[in-house]
Amino acid sequence: MNTIELNDPYIGEWITFIETDKTYNNISITDADCDDILYKKIGNVYYRRVLEDSRVDIRWFGALPDGVTDCSEAIQQAFISADKYKLSVTAGKGTYVITKTIYIPQNPDLAFLSKTYDFNESVFLIQSDFTVFESGYYSQGELVSAIGGLNDQTNCFGIKFGNFSLLTTLNNVTSPALAIKDWHQGCELSNISSQNFSTFLKSINNYYTVFDDLRTTHQNQVRLGERFIFSGDMNLNVFRALVAANSLVGYKFDGPLTACHFDAISVEGVTTGIQFNSYVFNCSIVNSYLEGFNRAFEFNSYIYNFTIDNNYIRLVNLSDRLIKYTGLPINNIHLLSNNTFIGMLGYDQLFENVEDDYGYGVEIGFNTGYGNSINDLLTDDFGANFNINWKAKFPTYLANIQNAKGLVPGNYSGQYTRGYDGPSGFEADFTIPNLVHLKTKIKNTWTQLVYVNIKIETTSGTKTFRGFFVGNSFYEFTASGIAASGVLESVVNPDGTIDVKRTGYESENIIGITGEIRLI
């Protein structure tokens, strides 16, 4: 076929056009396509620009990387033309001035074909307060913002967008730098940096999407803004190598998360690191750096499963707290033993809040020598009553548990006891000689079943008591069966927990008490 060579007026290079009657997406060319950039018509012959890697360069449309020329319209037209002909976008390296929001056209290709916007490490410079890039869709032929519309009406697949920096002449930009919506399978934001934007990214209803190597901070080192804001559904997202330094909230999640993964992210110089305001289903954070936070994690709804694994955690101030959570049933947090803690002065720094009923899904492990017994973690003034039941194994390496010996405790541990001062299930109070008085952390409900199996050693021998409480009534196992018995009583404390006592004193000195008391 015939070719012609023409000089591009913007990049000053000779380019090749080839004779054809088809567009890049194999549709017949018409006069309306001829823009003298991608298509030309000479006489009755159509020519198509020869592309490298099926990409258009924003400079061809008049975007000049000189740090002075307003490139907004040129970049927007490059996006529209690339979208029309199923092409990707690139840029010559330099600084492009942008003065208004540029819309990223939706890519609703159900074949999941990729569409790449690679800006070749360019800089986009803004000088007023507005969103730089925003999701868009076509309404009656006009490209408009997708923000504010119904979820999943403007779905995008396979968009790869990144490899640039955002700079501003302002001290603080309050509009989000990027606003994306309805990005799903195969979409990715990557290798983007920004400075002096209070909110770097506003993400709405994006799932099966990768957020990779997004770096944002404030030049004046003050804590401003919520740097990443995520809302709508978030399923199977990957958050990797994100930096949200010097912010009030680093990462804010206002919608539910399911099977999302945080890897090698930074929580540094923030008031709250990661804030979850809706439920969390099977998510994890690994290989990450947490330092300089007032609180690292804040959970304000149900935590069905969240794992904290293999992270470096440095507490700088005595007031720093790792986790704040709302007391709700089904809470389930796993803080694994391979996290490294630096500067932690006490276990009270693990939790910010105090709650007594629904912490039982919290599994905590330390591969350290902190503490001498499990009591270091289960005292009343600890700061949170994380309670261990059937949901969570209590590792034997935790705080040098003395009597666990590989045992995986059941309901009688954690919430319902003060730990292993006695071999299991209670703490013996010997303040009154010859009186069997056993403290538990079992909450009185009047309808509960509490199993008792204890042995009392005295100077003259041993006594055993086996049975169960229904409410506050004790039923003892005897050789002839189960019968109501007055040998033990249940006493309700002011805080709602119960103590188990003998109804009378032993006639001999008590040497020790072993066994267990368990909520069934």
Side-chain angles (χ1 to χ4, degrees), residues 434 456-463 506-512:
N434 296 350
I456 303 168
E457 299 181 37
T458 68
T459 52
S460 62
T462 62
K463 299 178 181 180
E506 305 304 318
S507 56
E508 303 86 10
N509 291 331
I510 298 174
I511 299 173

Side-chain angles (χ1 to χ4, degrees), residues 103-334:
Y103 299 127
I104 308 167
Q106 67 185 128
N107 185 43
D109 191 334
L110 292 176
F112 304 134
L113 297 178
S114 292
K115 182 176 181 61
T116 301
Y117 296 80
D118 180 355
F119 297 102
N120 192 28
E121 301 178 4
S122 293
V123 172
F124 295 110
L125 176 63
I126 74 166
Q127 298 166 331
S128 58
D129 195 332
F130 63 92
T131 295
V132 184
F133 293 111
E134 188 167 298
S135 290
Y137 74 103
Y138 292 98
S139 174
Q140 298 180 343
E142 181 183 0
L143 185 60
V144 299
S145 174
I147 307 302
L150 296 177
N151 289 346
D152 293 323
Q153 279 195 326
T154 60
N155 289 352
C156 297
F157 306 106
I159 292 180
K160 317 290 185 185
F161 194 92
N163 201 15
F164 62 89
S165 298
L166 288 171
L167 296 183
T168 177
T169 58
L170 305 179
N171 290 327
N172 183 48
V173 177
T174 58
S175 301
L178 306 172
I180 64 171
K181 182 175 181 292
D182 295 336
W183 283 22
H184 300 333
Q185 286 90 334
C187 289
E188 181 175 334
L189 277 179
S190 65
N191 190 23
I192 306 172
S193 67
S194 79
Q195 195 172 79
N196 291 359
F197 288 83
S198 288
T199 299
F200 170 71
L201 172 65
K202 184 175 182 180
S203 167
I204 305 169
N205 199 55
N206 300 302
Y207 45 89
Y208 296 92
T209 296
V210 175
F211 303 89
D212 183 28
D213 192 15
L214 307 179
R215 307 169 305 280
T216 171
T217 188
H218 246 273
Q219 191 173 23
N220 52 13
Q221 301 295 305
V222 298
R223 295 181 179 182
L224 289 174
E226 299 165 330
R227 202 73 79 237
F228 291 86
I229 301 176
F230 298 88
S231 62
D233 286 327
M234 289 162 279
N235 305 325
L236 290 167
N237 288 330
V238 174
F239 308 92
R240 182 171 54 228
L242 306 185
V243 178
N246 304 324
S247 56
L248 293 175
V249 179
Y251 313 88
K252 179 182 178 182
F253 294 87
D254 289 329
L257 282 80
T258 300
C260 291
H261 181 66
F262 300 82
D263 189 355
I265 73 167
S266 170
V267 172
E268 188 174 1
V270 297
T271 301
T272 298
I274 309 179
Q275 182 183 83
F276 301 95
N277 296 319
S278 190
Y279 67 73
V280 176
F281 244 127
N282 298 91
C283 297
S284 62
I285 177 171
V286 303
N287 309 324
S288 295
Y289 185 92
L290 293 81
E291 178 187 51
F293 51 81
N294 290 22
R295 76 179 68 87
F297 303 99
E298 180 178 329
F299 298 93
N300 294 317
S301 187
Y302 290 95
I303 315 161
Y304 290 89
N305 198 320
F306 190 85
T307 299
I308 303 170
D309 180 16
N310 198 45
N311 302 287
Y312 178 93
I313 303 169
R314 182 170 180 263
L315 295 101
V316 178
N317 301 306
L318 186 61
S319 60
D320 294 343
R321 296 293 182 267
L322 182 67
I323 297 171
K324 177 182 178 181
Y325 69 99
T326 301
L328 293 168
I330 315 180
N331 280 347
N332 204 342
I333 302 173
H334 305 277

Side-chain angles (χ1 to χ4, degrees), residues 326-342:
T326 301
L328 293 168
I330 315 180
N331 280 347
N332 204 342
I333 302 173
H334 305 277
L335 180 62
L336 303 189
S337 63
N338 55 355
N339 293 288
T340 297
F341 284 87
I342 302 296

Side-chain angles (χ1 to χ4, degrees), residues 298-498:
E298 180 178 329
F299 298 93
N300 294 317
S301 187
Y302 290 95
I303 315 161
Y304 290 89
N305 198 320
F306 190 85
T307 299
I308 303 170
D309 180 16
N310 198 45
N311 302 287
Y312 178 93
I313 303 169
R314 182 170 180 263
L315 295 101
V316 178
N317 301 306
L318 186 61
S319 60
D320 294 343
R321 296 293 182 267
L322 182 67
I323 297 171
K324 177 182 178 181
Y325 69 99
T326 301
L328 293 168
I330 315 180
N331 280 347
N332 204 342
I333 302 173
H334 305 277
L335 180 62
L336 303 189
S337 63
N338 55 355
N339 293 288
T340 297
F341 284 87
I342 302 296
M344 188 169 74
L345 300 178
Y347 286 117
D348 58 340
Q349 291 187 272
L350 290 177
F351 293 98
E352 176 177 339
N353 52 306
V354 176
E355 64 92 9
D356 295 326
D357 297 319
Y358 294 117
Y360 50 75
V362 179
E363 174 191 3
I364 298 181
F366 288 98
N367 191 17
T368 72
Y370 293 137
N372 295 313
S373 75
I374 196 172
N375 254 11
D376 292 335
L377 290 171
L378 295 175
T379 57
D380 287 338
D381 58 358
F382 172 63
N385 182 24
F386 63 91
N387 308 310
I388 310 305
N389 71 356
W390 56 273
K391 290 185 185 180
K393 295 182 293 183
F394 216 111
T396 57
Y397 47 73
L398 172 55
N400 300 323
I401 297 177
Q402 298 174 352
N403 296 307
K405 301 187 185 306
L407 177 69
V408 178
N411 281 357
Y412 49 85
S413 292
Q415 179 180 10
Y416 308 114
T417 80
R418 294 182 183 276
Y420 287 90
D421 292 297
S424 189
F426 54 82
E427 176 187 0
D429 182 353
F430 294 107
T431 56
I432 302 178
N434 296 350
L435 178 64
V436 176
H437 181 189
L438 308 175
K439 299 179 179 180
T440 80
K441 282 291 185 180
I442 299 172
K443 292 283 189 176
N444 175 64
T445 66
W446 298 98
T447 58
Q448 66 208 8
L449 292 179
V450 177
Y451 171 69
V452 177
N453 180 13
I454 58 174
K455 180 170 68 173
I456 303 168
E457 299 181 37
T458 68
T459 52
S460 62
T462 62
K463 299 178 181 180
T464 59
F465 298 96
R466 298 184 179 92
F468 57 87
F469 284 95
V470 178
N472 287 346
S473 300
F474 185 64
Y475 295 82
E476 189 174 7
F477 299 139
T478 67
S480 58
I482 301 173
S485 173
V487 297
L488 297 177
E489 63 177 338
S490 175
V491 178
V492 181
N493 296 311
D495 65 356
T497 59
I498 64 170

